[in-house]
Amino acid sequence: MSEDSNVIDFGARSAVEREMRVGRLLCELDGAALKAIFDSAYLDCRIDSDGDCVIHDDMTLIASADPAKDVFKIYGFFPIAGTREQAVEFCNRFNLHLVVVRAQLRDTPDSDGQWTVIFDYDRLVFEDERIEAKTIVKTVRRFQNIVRSGISRFDEDKLF
């Protein structure tokens, strides 16, 4: 193969395209693999100290695969400007009407005394099921839309 940087490596390109169609097993979706998928979708992301992929878009999310529990997880943390009781009421309203994404309140406030609402979604992945990269990206986008919609519909106390 030539050392010329203008030469296209069709073998490498076809491997990436094949992977996009075939998908990956859950055990293959570590932080680096997720980062590569989100990078190819032009989403700003990094790998945190736990090995999870942190996505920075209009909201900051964490995506990870848990092969031991057979789930692909997405979650986000949102500090609120209200009391614990207001946050619990919001989470109850959100969870009563939306079943795909779950809202819950962190057990303790942060160092500034603010409470944090956690939104999370678990996608069950069966034993040998493969997840395509576009499915992962669409799942993150759908999660963002559900959270955004839920906040706008159920945040009566303007906590966010």
Side-chain angles (χ1 to χ4, degrees):
M1 179 133 219
S2 169
E3 295 299 321
D4 184 5
S5 62
N6 291 325
V7 174
I8 298 172
D9 185 352
F10 288 104
R13 181 180 274 183
S14 66
V16 170
E17 289 295 320
R18 188 171 39 257
E19 181 180 294
M20 296 290 271
R21 285 190 311 275
V22 174
R24 293 185 185 211
L25 294 171
L26 192 61
C27 61
E28 299 171 342
L29 291 174
D30 59 356
L34 288 170
K35 183 177 182 339
I37 290 168
F38 294 127
D39 282 344
S40 68
Y42 302 106
L43 290 170
D44 182 28
C45 61
R46 65 176 174 79
I47 300 172
D48 70 2
S49 60
D50 296 332
D52 297 330
C53 189
V54 180
I55 305 155
H56 300 285
D57 202 25
D58 62 336
M59 58 181 71
T60 301
L61 306 174
I62 299 173
S64 66
D66 189 351
K69 295 181 181 176
D70 295 330
V71 293
F72 173 71
K73 302 175 148 223
I74 304 170
Y75 47 99
F77 300 89
F78 295 84
I80 60 159
T83 65
R84 182 182 190 288
E85 291 74 26
Q86 288 173 315
V88 168
E89 288 175 20
F90 167 79
C91 290
N92 288 338
R93 280 191 304 272
F94 187 96
N95 293 334
L96 182 65
H97 297 290
L98 300 173
V99 295
V100 175
V101 173
R102 182 178 56 218
Q104 56 190 321
L105 188 63
R106 199 173 225 175
D107 294 334
T108 57
D110 63 13
S111 59
D112 296 332
Q114 280 189 313
W115 291 94
T116 302
V117 173
I118 304 167
F119 295 96
D120 67 284
Y121 168 73
D122 295 343
R123 182 190 187 281
L124 182 63
V125 180
F126 297 102
E127 294 173 3
D128 293 329
E129 181 183 0
R130 293 181 169 274
I131 304 175
E132 294 180 17
K134 68 180 179 181
T135 302
I136 292 170
V137 173
K138 283 182 178 181
T139 302
V140 167
R141 293 292 190 204
R142 188 169 295 123
F143 177 86
Q144 289 174 322
N145 289 337
I146 291 170
V147 169
R148 205 177 295 114
S149 172
I151 288 173
S152 68
R153 288 174 52 198
F154 305 116
D155 185 14
E156 296 169 357
D157 298 322
K158 303 300 178 214
L159 301 173
F160 297 91

